[in-house]
Amino acid sequence: MAAVATVNRIMEEPKINKKIAQLTKVVYMLNSRCEDGDVHLAKAKEKYEREIQTILAHARKAIALFASALENAVPRETHDTTIKNLQEKLKDEIASYKKTTGQEMKRKVDDIARDYKLAFQERIREVAAMKETLRKHIEETNLKKDQKEAQSIRVEALQKELELAKRATDQAKVGSIILSLVKPE
């Protein structure tokens, strides 16, 4: 009976090892996705920074063109005032653009981060469900093993009782034979 229990335990181990391997793969996949999300966020940030620099470069070129056109068309005092006004207006527009772009970029980054967080939480729930299923399976396996061991013990006890009963029956037969031999009729 002990050999049967050992064979059953050996048969269950590959199933448990397979579940552990599956869980390990899921955890590795989740870590990879998290890292991919970080890379994606960094690329998006770099893209927006390049876009801001490009816009600033275009704005500087436009200012230079307007400044040269103003120098040729307007007297110097008017020109200085106009340049200051244009610079202030440009600074306001750049600040507004940075604020708007920064808010838009932050919103997009927040959306991406939220999506990845939700996906990661869903995967965590799936892993937890798998873990719970595996725990229940292990408990059921242990319960079955315990039940088999209890049955084995009961069978052994019954076999011993049967053996004792046979001995008692044999002794009773021997006793009656001896009595019949000893008693003269």
Side-chain angles (χ1 to χ4, degrees):
M1 285 299 162
V4 173
T6 303
V7 169
N8 286 337
R9 262 190 235 141
I10 291 171
M11 295 300 284
E12 291 296 321
E13 285 181 17
K15 292 178 183 176
I16 292 171
N17 289 338
K18 183 177 178 182
K19 287 291 185 181
I20 291 170
Q22 289 173 345
L23 290 172
T24 303
K25 287 179 184 178
V26 169
V27 169
Y28 176 77
M29 179 190 64
L30 290 174
N31 284 336
S32 296
R33 283 191 181 172
C34 185
E35 290 170 0
D36 292 344
D38 292 342
V39 169
H40 181 70
L41 291 175
K43 285 182 180 179
K45 182 178 178 181
E46 289 175 13
K47 177 184 171 189
Y48 284 115
E49 288 295 328
R50 284 193 304 269
E51 189 176 318
I52 289 171
Q53 293 304 322
T54 303
I55 291 170
L56 289 174
H58 288 300
R60 287 186 193 109
K61 286 180 184 178
I63 290 172
L65 286 173
F66 286 126
S68 66
L70 279 175
E71 281 182 17
N72 296 332
V74 181
R76 183 74 177 161
E77 292 135 8
T78 309
H79 172 66
D80 288 341
T81 307
T82 306
I83 287 177
K84 286 181 184 177
N85 290 339
L86 285 175
Q87 284 177 338
E88 287 177 19
K89 184 178 178 182
L90 180 63
K91 284 179 185 177
D92 291 342
E93 286 180 16
I94 289 173
S96 173
Y97 179 77
K98 280 184 176 180
K99 182 178 178 184
T100 303
T101 304
Q103 289 172 347
E104 181 181 326
M105 185 173 82
K106 183 180 182 319
R107 183 184 53 76
K108 286 183 180 179
V109 168
D110 289 344
D111 289 347
I112 291 170
R114 185 187 69 247
D115 292 345
Y116 276 107
K117 183 178 180 181
L118 291 174
F120 187 71
Q121 288 173 343
E122 179 61 29
R123 297 294 184 237
I124 287 173
R125 282 191 289 274
E126 289 174 5
V127 168
M130 282 187 213
K131 182 180 176 183
E132 182 62 23
T133 301
L134 180 61
R135 185 190 61 75
K136 287 180 181 177
H137 178 71
I138 289 171
E139 285 178 1
E140 289 172 3
T141 302
N142 289 339
L143 181 63
K144 287 178 184 175
K145 181 178 73 173
D146 291 344
Q147 288 173 347
K148 285 180 182 178
E149 288 175 6
Q151 285 176 343
S152 175
I153 291 170
R154 279 188 232 128
V155 167
E156 287 176 14
L158 289 174
Q159 285 175 344
K160 286 180 183 178
E161 285 181 28
L162 180 64
E163 185 69 32
L164 290 174
K166 282 181 181 178
R167 283 186 196 162
T169 305
D170 289 345
Q171 287 176 354
K173 284 180 184 178
V174 168
S176 66
I177 291 173
I178 291 175
L179 282 176
S180 67
L181 290 177
V182 171
K183 254 188 198 181
E185 289 185 33

